[in-house]
């Protein structure tokens, strides 16, 4: 029987010696590591910094990307790209981001900036006729546009819903600021046209539907008097009056036996389409309609394991196609049609290519793994030099801890991000440092600007006594456990970490760094794993577990000899899953139920078994997103607690001591980005350091700053509601 079985109100008898060790369960490892370690981020939210609080409601900033340095921990799929010249290329991805570079030809050193303009929609294509207009389309028939795209992250983009096809828009072509034509997927072919796209959200878009059932996947307009779209049945649609919108004349021509994926027309004298079999379908007189001649080049037919997706022909002397198998094909004589010679170039990665855009002396191709490759000599074919840059992705931030003068956040690559001015709300106020030998950091706690401690998934703790120095801070490492550490909470004279085997590992001399002495106490051998820890001082700590039990100790600094009381705080007999906890001086402790996102609170935590706990429904429906964990709570004092859920919402209370009688204000501050079964965004942790500052971090490497001007806080003294047990 483990030591935890003897924990009671009177305390457990001390074990014979400190216990450090254990083996991570396979189910626990899969639940955390295999599912993105969402729980670690939530558990990490517990390390709030106690501080006096007096203020009115918080006002939250937009998400600020602070952990945006390549290589990224995760990537987004880039769906479309358009290059205006060698000094401007714009790309779009499947979560509503626009990526912009004014030096795309710089290859590995090219700088791409990211701006989320349409969250969280899947953008599919973009077309930029000049540096003063870019138009993108999305799967839900939304159009975004900018008249200053070269400003990158500072560009202004507008959004507009249009009458599009059933399955959304897939392609767009804008030959000038007076014409854009978009195409999409559905039971019938649909074209959407605007003759004033530069007007942004005030632009007029008209739809033209065809009785003939074909999905349109690509379009190219070399001028305002010629547009050619391609369809899923080997059809091309040609119009010489596309500006007439719904009244334009479009002619169907069946030119291929395979599904056509994309088309590029550098002029009225040349169009080259790409089909799913890897064939190239070419015409040198596409405007001739029924009299046009289309030839099929089968040189590379069925030579690609996957379908080619995009083609770009900047002139009659160059065409480049991108394929799902990660290879590029090109020709310098596309006008020869069936006689053109196409060469294949492997560009160094098995990741598929989703599109390509070329201008004279530059081609830029996009990958499904968020990387962008470019060449300034694409006409060299197989001898062309292509370089790659990590352009679109994110590194999840798992925890944050703030003092009155310092905030530190951690990511899943072993990096620490720090700011001595987080309230500035700017990217430039944050610096980044990698801790040597740190891999997957799980939690951080900073009781002061002279002490921070962070733990990782390998049982290591890293301590800094100069964290405010940012990238120059020194971190000492200490192996304190043989299993994963899931959380840590520190006061100035105590640090307590928890692992996934029911142990609390403590030290009363954390400032000694690598020389600190740590001792383990198994608080409950029957529980699957501990999930939350919050220490107010050397004389009080609270721990939560995955079964709804809370553990408190008034002597946690005694390490292996510490006494812990066990009480079901989430349902009368336990059974809940506590994903976060925060305690402050005065006996106030709050925890979060991961399944229901209810807040469990007590104002007399120091009373141990005699403490009264209350359960409150804080977040209104809808319920938490299934299979996507991420919730927690942070208290600055008895007068401010902020909880968060996995839908990007925060709940703020100025009277949390009132239990079920507490008032909570709920607000959505972040927009979780979900793609199929992948968790990509949503808040992961929060820390409140003062009456005017809370900092939250999310799974996309972003920080959100909550600030409030000083104002009298709620001083009501109404009694709490009856306890839940």
């Amino acid at each position: 029987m483990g030591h935890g079985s003897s924990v009671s109100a009177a305390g457990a008898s001390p074990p014979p010696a400190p216990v450090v060790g254990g083996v991570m369960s396979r189910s626990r490892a899969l639940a955390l590591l295999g599912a993105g370690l969402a729980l670690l981020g939530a558990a990490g939210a517990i390390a709030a910094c106690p501080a006096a609080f007096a203020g009115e409601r918080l006002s939250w900033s937009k998400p600020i990307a602070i952990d945006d340095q390549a290589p990224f921990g995760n990537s987004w799929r880039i769906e479309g790209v358009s290059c205006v010249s060698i000094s401007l290329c714009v790309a779009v991805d499947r979560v509503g981001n626009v990526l912009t570079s004014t030096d795309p030809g710089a290859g590995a050193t090219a700088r791409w900036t990211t701006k989320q303009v349409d969250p969280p929609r899947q953008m599919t294509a973009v077309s930029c006729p000049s540096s003063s207009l870019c138009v993108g389309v999305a799967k839900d028939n939304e159009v975004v546009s900018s008249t200053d795209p070269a400003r990158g992250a500072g560009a202004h983009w507008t959004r507009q819903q249009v009458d599009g096809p059933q399955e959304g828009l897939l392609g767009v072509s804008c030959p000038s600021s007076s014409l854009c034509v978009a195409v999409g997927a559905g039971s019938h072919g649909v074209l959407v046209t605007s003759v004033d796209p530069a007007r942004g959200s005030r632009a007029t878009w008209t739809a033209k539907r065809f009785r003939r059932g074909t999905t349109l996947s690509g379009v190219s307009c070399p001028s305002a008097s010629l547009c050619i779209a391609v369809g899923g049945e080997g059809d091309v649609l040609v119009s010489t009056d596309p500006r007439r919108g719904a009244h334009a004349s479009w002619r169907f021509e069946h030119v291929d036996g395979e599904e056509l994926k994309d088309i590029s027309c550098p002029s009225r004298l040349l169009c080259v389409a790409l089909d799913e079999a890897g064939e190239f379908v070419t015409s040198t007189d596409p405007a001739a309609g029924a009299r046009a001649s289309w030839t099929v080049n089968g040189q590379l037919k069925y030579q690609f394991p996957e379908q080619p997706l995009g083609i770009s022909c900047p002139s009659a002397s160059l065409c480049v196609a991108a394929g799902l198998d990660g290879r590029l094909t090109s020709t310098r004589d596309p006008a020869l049609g069936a006689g053109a010679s196409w060469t294949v170039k492997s560009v160094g990665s098995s990741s598929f290519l989703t599109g390509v855009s070329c201008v004279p002396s530059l081609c830029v191709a996009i990958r499904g793994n968020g990387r962008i490759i470019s060449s300034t000599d694409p006409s060299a074919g197989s001898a062309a030099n292509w370089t790659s840059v990590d352009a679109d992705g994110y590194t999840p931030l798992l925890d944050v801890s703030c003092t009155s003068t310092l905030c530190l956040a951690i990511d899943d690559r072993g990096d620490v991000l720090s700011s001595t001015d987080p309230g500035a709300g700017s990217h430039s106020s944050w610096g980044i440092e990698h801790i040597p030998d740190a891999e997957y950091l799980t939690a951080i706690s900073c009781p002061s600007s002279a002490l921070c401690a962070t733990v990782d998934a390998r049982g290591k703790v890293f301590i800094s006594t100069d964290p405010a120095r940012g990238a120059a801070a020194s971190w000492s490492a200490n192996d304190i456990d043989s299993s994963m550490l899931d959380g840590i909470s520190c006061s100035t004279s105590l640090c307590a970490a928890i692992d996934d085997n029911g142990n609390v590992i403590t030290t009363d001399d954390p400032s000694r760094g690598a020389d600190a002495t740590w001792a383990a106490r198994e608080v409950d051998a029957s529980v699957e794993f501990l999930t939350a820890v919050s220490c107010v001082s050397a004389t009080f700590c609270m721990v939560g577990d995955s079964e709804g039990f809370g553990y408190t100790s008034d002597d946690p600094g005694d390490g292996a000899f510490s006494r812990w009381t066990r009480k079901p705080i989430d349902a009368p007999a336990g059974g809940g899953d506590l994903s976060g906890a925060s305690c402050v001086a005065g006996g106030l402790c709050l925890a979060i139920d991961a399944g229901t996102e209810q807040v469990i609170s007590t104002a007399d935590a120091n009373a141990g078994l005699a403490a009264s706990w209350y359960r409150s429904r804080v977040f209104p429906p809808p319920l938490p997103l299934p299979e996507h964990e991420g919730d927690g709570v942070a208290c600055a004092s008895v007068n401010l607690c902020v909880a968060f859920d996995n839908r990007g919402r925060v709940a703020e209370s100025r009277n949390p001591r009132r239990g079920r009688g507490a008032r909570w204000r709920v607000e959505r501050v972040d927009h979780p980005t979900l793609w199929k079964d992948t968790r990509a965004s949503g808040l992961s942790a929060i820390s409140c350091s003062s009456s005017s500052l809370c900092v939250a971090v999310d799974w996309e490497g972003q920080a959100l700053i909550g600030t409030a001007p000083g104002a009298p806080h709620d001083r009501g003294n109404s009694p709490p509601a009856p306890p839940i047990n």
Side-chain angles (χ1 to χ4, degrees):
M1 182 176 293
H3 305 305
S5 61
S6 61
V7 176
S8 66
S13 58
V19 179
V20 178
V23 178
M24 185 193 311
S25 67
R26 181 174 183 271
S27 62
R28 173 65 167 155
L30 291 175
L32 293 178
L33 296 174
L37 292 170
L39 187 56
L40 292 178
I46 59 182
C49 307
F53 187 94
E56 56 186 24
R57 63 177 53 178
L58 296 168
S59 175
W60 290 89
S61 71
K62 292 182 179 180
I64 305 159
I66 63 172
D67 197 357
D68 57 353
Q69 294 187 13
F72 302 110
N74 298 277
S75 62
W76 296 122
R77 171 169 164 165
I78 308 175
E79 297 282 1
V81 62
S82 180
C83 293
V84 176
S85 66
I86 59 172
S87 58
L88 180 61
C89 287
V90 177
V92 294
D93 70 16
R94 64 170 42 188
V95 293
N97 291 321
V98 171
L99 296 89
T100 306
S101 178
T102 54
D103 61 348
T109 61
R111 184 172 185 270
W112 290 82
T113 61
T114 302
K115 183 180 180 69
Q116 192 168 49
V117 301
D118 197 16
R121 294 171 176 82
Q122 180 183 355
M123 298 186 68
T124 54
V126 62
S127 180
C128 304
S130 70
S131 60
S132 58
L133 179 64
C134 280
V135 177
V137 295
K139 266 256 180 153
D140 65 345
N141 294 324
E142 193 159 74
V143 174
V144 300
S145 61
S146 174
T147 55
D148 58 353
R151 294 183 61 207
H156 176 67
W157 289 80
T158 62
R159 297 158 54 184
Q160 181 182 11
Q161 199 73 31
V162 301
D163 180 17
Q166 291 176 332
E167 298 177 25
L169 297 171
L170 299 179
V172 63
S173 180
C174 305
S176 70
S177 61
S178 60
L179 177 66
C180 279
V181 177
V183 298
S187 58
H188 299 280
V190 179
L191 289 152
V192 185
T193 304
S194 175
V195 295
D196 57 355
R199 296 186 66 203
S201 59
R202 296 174 297 170
T204 300
W205 292 81
T206 57
K208 184 177 181 66
R209 288 172 166 81
F210 302 94
R211 293 183 179 179
R212 188 167 177 172
T214 184
T215 290
L216 300 179
S217 54
V219 61
S220 183
C221 302
S223 70
S225 59
L226 179 63
C227 284
I228 299 96
V230 292
E233 298 179 359
D235 296 324
V236 296
L237 287 80
V238 182
S239 176
T240 55
D241 59 353
R243 283 180 51 83
R244 296 185 63 206
H247 303 290
S249 299
W250 290 84
R251 296 182 302 275
F252 275 88
E253 296 294 334
H254 186 74
V255 300
D256 192 17
E258 305 284 351
E259 177 183 351
L260 295 172
K261 306 296 293 185
D262 197 13
I263 187 169
S264 182
C265 305
S267 72
R268 295 177 61 88
L269 301 178
L270 178 64
C271 282
V272 182
L274 176 68
D275 73 19
E276 63 180 347
E279 297 176 302
F280 300 94
V281 184
T282 305
S283 176
T284 55
D285 58 350
R291 300 187 305 275
S293 174
W294 293 85
T295 61
V296 178
N297 185 313
Q299 175 189 345
L300 301 177
K301 186 176 183 179
Y302 300 135
Q303 292 189 25
F304 300 95
E306 303 286 349
Q307 297 177 5
L309 283 183
I311 188 169
S312 180
C313 304
S315 69
S317 58
L318 178 65
C319 282
V320 178
L324 271 175
D325 64 343
R327 291 186 290 176
L328 291 161
T329 57
S330 63
T331 182
R332 289 185 291 184
D333 53 5
L336 292 180
S341 175
W342 291 83
T343 60
V344 179
K345 171 71 175 180
S346 176
V347 286
S349 174
S350 60
S351 177
F352 56 86
L353 296 165
T354 55
V356 62
S357 180
C358 301
V359 294
S361 71
L362 174 68
C363 278
V364 172
I366 50 178
R367 286 194 181 281
N369 62 357
R371 298 186 70 83
I372 293 177
I373 63 173
S374 62
S375 175
T376 54
D377 61 347
S379 60
S382 59
N385 179 42
W386 291 81
T387 56
S388 178
V389 61
D390 203 354
D392 193 15
Y394 61 97
T395 300
L397 291 170
L398 300 184
D399 198 9
V400 62
S401 184
C402 300
T403 71
S404 60
T405 58
L406 178 68
C407 275
L408 266 67
I410 55 171
D411 67 20
D412 64 358
R413 298 182 306 180
D415 298 327
V416 174
L417 295 96
S418 61
S419 175
T420 56
D421 187 19
S426 67
H427 173 278
S428 60
S429 66
W430 292 82
I432 187 169
E433 174 191 14
H434 181 75
I435 300 179
D437 201 33
E439 290 189 359
Y440 199 108
L441 297 175
T442 59
I444 189 169
S445 181
C446 301
S448 74
S449 59
L451 178 64
C452 285
T454 181
V455 293
D456 73 6
R458 299 177 302 161
K460 290 180 178 288
V461 61
F462 303 88
I463 292 179
S464 176
T465 55
D466 58 354
R469 296 183 63 202
S474 58
W475 293 84
S476 60
N478 199 333
D479 282 295
I480 65 171
D481 202 351
S482 60
S483 58
M484 175 183 287
L485 294 172
D486 296 329
I488 189 168
S489 181
C490 299
S491 67
T492 55
S493 58
L494 174 77
C495 280
I498 55 173
D499 69 12
D500 58 0
N501 284 311
N503 295 312
V504 178
I505 307 99
T506 59
T507 181
D508 58 5
D509 55 357
S511 61
R512 295 184 62 199
D515 296 324
T517 301
W518 294 78
R521 178 72 163 97
E522 186 179 51
V523 299
D524 194 343
S526 64
V527 71
E528 184 178 357
F529 52 85
L530 301 176
T531 58
V533 58
S534 183
C535 296
V536 177
S537 66
T539 59
F540 182 80
C541 284
M542 174 195 167
V543 170
D545 70 17
S546 60
E547 297 178 4
F549 288 90
Y551 308 77
T552 57
S553 174
D554 59 8
D555 61 354
D558 287 347
F561 298 92
S562 59
R563 296 168 299 175
W564 293 81
T565 61
R566 179 177 185 262
K567 181 180 178 69
I569 64 173
D570 191 8
D577 184 357
L578 302 176
S579 67
S582 183
C583 301
V584 295
L588 177 67
C589 280
L590 272 70
I592 295 288
D593 182 303
T596 65
E597 291 183 339
Q598 293 185 80
V599 171
I600 303 108
S601 64
T602 182
D604 56 354
N606 296 330
L609 282 176
S612 299
W613 289 83
Y614 308 86
R615 188 163 61 249
S616 306
R617 170 69 69 185
V618 170
F619 293 100
L623 291 174
L625 293 168
E627 306 301 324
H628 299 297
E629 299 179 62
D631 36 46
V633 62
C635 297
S637 73
V638 295
N639 297 309
L640 173 69
C641 288
V642 180
F644 67 89
D645 71 359
N646 69 5
R647 290 183 176 271
R649 298 180 294 185
V650 295
E652 173 188 350
S653 177
R654 301 289 173 152
N655 55 0
R657 290 174 60 89
R658 294 186 184 180
R660 281 202 298 267
R663 296 193 300 273
W664 293 84
R665 172 181 171 267
V666 178
E667 175 186 3
R668 170 163 287 181
V669 299
D670 200 10
H671 296 274
T673 301
L674 303 176
W675 178 250
K676 294 184 178 178
D677 297 325
T678 301
R679 168 101 186 165
S681 187
L683 300 176
S684 56
I686 189 170
S687 180
C688 298
S689 63
S690 72
S691 61
S692 58
L693 181 65
C694 287
V695 176
V697 294
D698 71 12
W699 295 94
E700 277 191 56
Q702 301 175 124
L704 298 90
I705 315 301
T707 57
H713 60 72
D714 185 345
R715 298 182 182 275
N717 293 308
S718 59
I724 62 174
N725 46 9

